[in-house]
Amino acid sequence: DTEVTQTPKHLVMGMTNKKSLKCEQHMGHRAMYWYKQKAKKPPELMFVYSYEKLSINESVPSRFSPECPNSSLLNLHLHALQPEDSALYLCASSEETSSTDTQYFGPGTRLTVL
Amino acid sequence: AQKITQTQPGMFVQEKEAVTLDCTYDTSDPSYGLFWYKQPSSGEMIFLIYQGSYDQQNATEGRYSLNFQKARKSANLVISASQLGDSAMYFCAMREGQSDKLIFGTGTRLQVFP
């Protein structure tokens, strides 16, 4: 089973709203990732968690706040977003963080900021 | 400098024919992994195939095979017997050494016609 689930599938929010994206995997993976993907572009890495600790923050604005409550769950808290933050947000997981470890992606959340 | 280069923005192939999607990479790390992902219009990134830098044989997974030419730093994806459902965006990606990061190319949009 290589399933990563993400909720919600679609999200529309105003610039003053607070919302959260959720990602879950039950493969026993110890690394989890958030990516942002704009239309017709490759995914851009935002955050990496390794063994539930934040290991990479790719200079993401503080209006995006990641959280890893346990080894299976990864959240992305959103606050005071801008319209340019509208994108597909992809979560991924891998066994660990070496070059041989395949990242498995969830179906994504399509976010629209009005 | 681009670490992953996909020079074909778009490709067309007739159903049941084979197609090759090009990917070249640039790294000085002797240990790396190369990955291909498929992204249909629904948005999910689907893992297709993996090739490790130390692997002696070209990777194969069903109708997918990877033409790995290490000296030329190329890792082309070959899809045999194309199907209409293969129409999607295809991304080549690389992970170096112990890096947490998966570096993506710009993608190739494949369209399969009857």
Side-chain angles (χ1 to χ4, degrees):
Chain A
D1 181 14
T2 56
E3 189 178 20
V4 177
T5 59
Q6 287 187 246
T7 54
K9 286 191 174 180
H10 299 273
L11 179 63
V12 179
M13 60 186 290
M15 289 190 283
T16 58
N17 293 156
K18 285 186 181 181
K19 296 285 184 184
S20 297
L21 310 185
K22 181 179 170 182
C23 173
E24 195 164 4
Q25 58 88 13
H26 294 289
M27 296 178 276
H29 288 175
R30 303 318 299 262
M32 295 186 77
Y33 311 79
W34 279 116
Y35 288 85
K36 173 183 177 179
Q37 187 180 22
K38 300 286 274 185
K40 302 187 187 209
K41 297 287 187 183
E44 298 172 14
L45 183 65
M46 300 175 72
F47 302 104
V48 180
Y49 273 83
S50 179
Y51 288 85
E52 300 163 49
K53 292 197 184 323
L54 184 66
S55 62
I56 291 183
N57 175 342
E58 289 286 285
S59 303
V60 178
S62 60
R63 57 185 184 268
F64 295 91
S65 174
E67 178 198 19
C68 189
N70 60 57
S71 59
S72 300
L73 276 176
L74 185 65
N75 298 321
L76 186 63
H77 302 299
L78 314 173
H79 173 55
L81 293 194
Q82 304 295 312
E84 60 264 28
D85 297 322
S86 298
L88 179 68
Y89 288 84
L90 292 162
C91 174
S93 72
S94 64
E95 282 192 36
E96 301 221 357
T97 55
S98 82
S99 64
T100 60
D101 290 323
T102 299
Q103 290 188 24
Y104 295 95
F105 286 78
T109 294
R110 287 197 187 275
L111 173 68
T112 303
V113 181
L114 300 176
Chain B
Q2 289 282 358
K3 290 234 175 188
I4 294 282
T5 303
Q6 294 181 254
T7 56
Q8 307 153 313
M11 289 284 284
F12 287 88
V13 66
Q14 190 165 32
E15 204 176 3
K16 300 179 186 172
E17 297 294 309
V19 63
T20 298
L21 306 184
D22 294 342
C23 174
T24 57
Y25 60 93
D26 182 27
T27 181
S28 56
D29 196 321
S31 175
Y32 53 89
L34 297 158
F35 304 82
W36 277 93
Y37 289 87
K38 170 185 177 182
Q39 189 175 40
S41 56
S42 60
E44 184 171 5
M45 292 285 276
I46 302 166
F47 166 68
L48 296 177
I49 196 166
Y50 161 80
Q51 181 84 47
S53 58
Y54 297 117
D55 293 344
Q56 296 296 314
Q57 307 244 12
N58 286 346
T60 60
E61 288 286 349
R63 294 187 299 111
Y64 304 109
S65 60
L66 206 151
N67 184 0
F68 182 45
Q69 297 189 42
K70 196 170 182 176
R72 296 179 62 184
K73 293 190 174 178
S74 74
N76 299 338
L77 177 70
V78 180
I79 305 174
S80 63
S82 297
Q83 301 171 356
L84 296 178
D86 294 334
S87 294
M89 183 71 92
Y90 288 80
F91 289 99
C92 179
M94 176 175 68
R95 201 165 182 177
E96 297 171 298
Q98 295 298 314
S99 171
D100 293 346
K101 298 185 184 183
L102 190 61
I103 304 164
F104 285 89
T106 51
T108 296
R109 179 161 297 282
L110 176 67
Q111 295 189 60
V112 182
F113 60 94

